[in-house]
Every structure is written in structure tokens, then in C-alpha cells.
Amino acid sequence: MLAWTTSFVTGRTQQVLYKGCLSAVQPVQYGVPQGSVLGSILFVLYTAEISRIVAQHGLKFHQYADDSQIYVATSVSEVHSATDQLSRCLHDVYVWMSVSRLRLNASKTQVLWLGSRPNIDRLSVHEVPVLSSTVGVVGSARDLGVVIDSRLSMADHVASVCHSAYYHLRQIRPTPQSSSRDAAQTLVLAFISSRLDYCNSVLYGITNNLLQ
């Protein structure tokens, strides 16, 4: 198994094509092939130790390929200590990633409080220290294509899906005039219905207004 995995990630090369000119062939010494079936699995295996680091700080961790979330549950009265706990955890993750030839991108890091509106309104922490900078708390964040808002109402996700669906609907509107009805239905299924179906289980229990 080790020899088979080794053969998959070694001996690979890359070139850059720019305005008809090819660069010299360069060996790829690090990383995994993008878009490959094993690529995301090998990356998760390589970064599995991050979950242990997070657990040492008493936090929860979820990872999908290179998209990771760290969770901490706290009461409003202990939000400052929870923020410090999260900052220390991120520092240790950053140290491990630096040693492992990876980079924690602070500019792509987002912090989101989840809770009821009264509790969210009582929070006084609007920035969280991340390494040498601070990250502002956002009202919603995108997680694998699903927009999560601070109250878990899914209102922002519904608005995003509707906006995207209407955009593509306008793009394919002239299609029935120049092609068959079956072709138009295929386009609607590909560009509209697929967006309505994606992760639709997260919409369970939303309000009737959002459902409409």
C-alpha cells in the first residue's frame, strides 16, 4: 500500500503554457494532484494531526479536504475566555502547519457566532485575534456552498439560492426560441433544479415564507 501510494505522488512534472510558449519541465515535489480521487483523501490523512491539536484545546473540529471548521460552545458570560481559547488553538495549528509545509491563510479565516438573537445582541466581542492580525465577526459564512447565518434561520442561504437560480434562468430564457423544449428542460435541470436540490436537507424546518 505504501509503495502504491508513493508511486501515485512521485515522478510528476508540470509546465506552464503562456501565449503559445511552454516553460521548462519542473518536478512536482510537494502536494497532491488536483482533482484526483485520492488527492483529497491523502490530504486529509496528511493533516489528520490537526484534529488532535484542536482536541487538546477542548474544541471540536470538522474537515472536508482543505476546508476546516473549529467549534467552541460557550455561554455569553464566558465569551472572552472562549475567544482566547480559540486564538491559542489557531496559533498551535499555525505552528504545526508551518512545520508541515502548509500555510494558514488568515485572510480567508472567518469567525461566526451562532445563537439566538438576544444572545447574539449581548455579545461584545466583534474581533478575534488570529496570529498577528484580527478577524472580524461576520453575520454569515459560506460552508461548502451553504450560507450559514448566525441564527441558523437559513434566510441568507435561501436568498443566495434564489439569486443564483434567477440569474441562470435569465441566461437560458432565450433558449426555447432556438432549440427544442427537451433541450430547455435539460438546461433548467442542470442550472436551476440542481441548485434547489443541493444540500436541501438543511432547509428542513425553515419558515413558510422562506420556503415559498
Side-chain angles (χ1 to χ4, degrees):
M1 178 62 71
L2 179 59
W4 178 64
T5 305
T6 301
S7 69
F8 177 73
V9 297
T10 56
R12 293 185 177 272
T13 58
Q14 65 180 10
Q15 281 182 297
V16 176
L17 175 64
Y18 180 69
K19 291 186 177 180
C21 297
L22 273 173
S23 68
V25 177
Q26 297 290 334
V28 179
Q29 299 179 347
Y30 308 103
V32 293
Q34 293 291 312
S36 62
V37 175
L38 289 180
S40 58
I41 297 176
L42 292 176
F43 183 84
V44 169
L45 291 174
Y46 184 71
T47 58
E49 194 172 353
I50 295 180
S51 62
R52 182 183 61 83
I53 297 173
V54 174
Q56 288 177 344
H57 288 271
L59 306 181
K60 301 296 183 180
F61 179 70
H62 178 262
Q63 180 183 28
Y64 183 86
D66 62 344
D67 194 347
S68 305
Q69 296 87 35
I70 299 176
Y71 303 93
V72 54
T74 181
S75 61
V76 175
S77 60
E78 298 179 348
V79 66
H80 290 283
S81 61
T83 301
D84 293 339
Q85 185 182 11
L86 178 61
S87 297
R88 291 193 299 269
C89 177
L90 288 174
H91 177 269
D92 289 349
V93 170
Y94 169 78
V95 172
W96 182 90
M97 294 181 70
S98 299
V99 174
S100 304
R101 300 180 183 274
L102 298 171
R103 183 169 67 93
L104 176 63
N105 194 338
S107 64
K108 291 185 177 181
T109 302
Q110 295 180 304
V111 177
L112 174 68
W113 294 120
L114 299 175
S116 62
R117 174 179 289 180
N119 284 335
I120 295 294
D121 292 341
R122 289 169 56 197
L123 294 176
S124 58
V125 176
H126 304 293
E127 289 186 339
V128 175
V130 177
L131 307 180
S132 59
S133 61
T134 58
V135 175
V137 176
V138 297
S140 63
R142 186 176 295 273
D143 183 14
L144 301 178
V146 177
V147 182
I148 307 295
D149 60 274
S150 60
R151 291 188 293 147
L152 292 178
S153 68
M154 305 310 299
D156 290 354
H157 179 67
V158 170
S160 176
V161 170
C162 291
H163 180 272
S164 177
Y166 274 121
Y167 170 81
H168 287 89
L169 195 60
R170 287 191 294 269
Q171 300 303 311
I172 65 177
R173 184 178 181 181
T175 301
Q177 302 173 8
S178 57
S179 62
S180 65
R181 181 180 178 86
D182 289 341
Q185 289 178 338
T186 300
L187 289 174
V188 170
L189 288 174
F191 292 98
I192 310 300
S193 299
S194 62
R195 285 172 167 77
L196 296 175
D197 291 339
Y198 178 74
C199 287
N200 56 16
S201 59
V202 302
L203 301 178
Y204 178 80
I206 63 173
T207 64
N208 289 332
N209 288 337
L210 290 179
L211 188 59
Q212 291 300 322

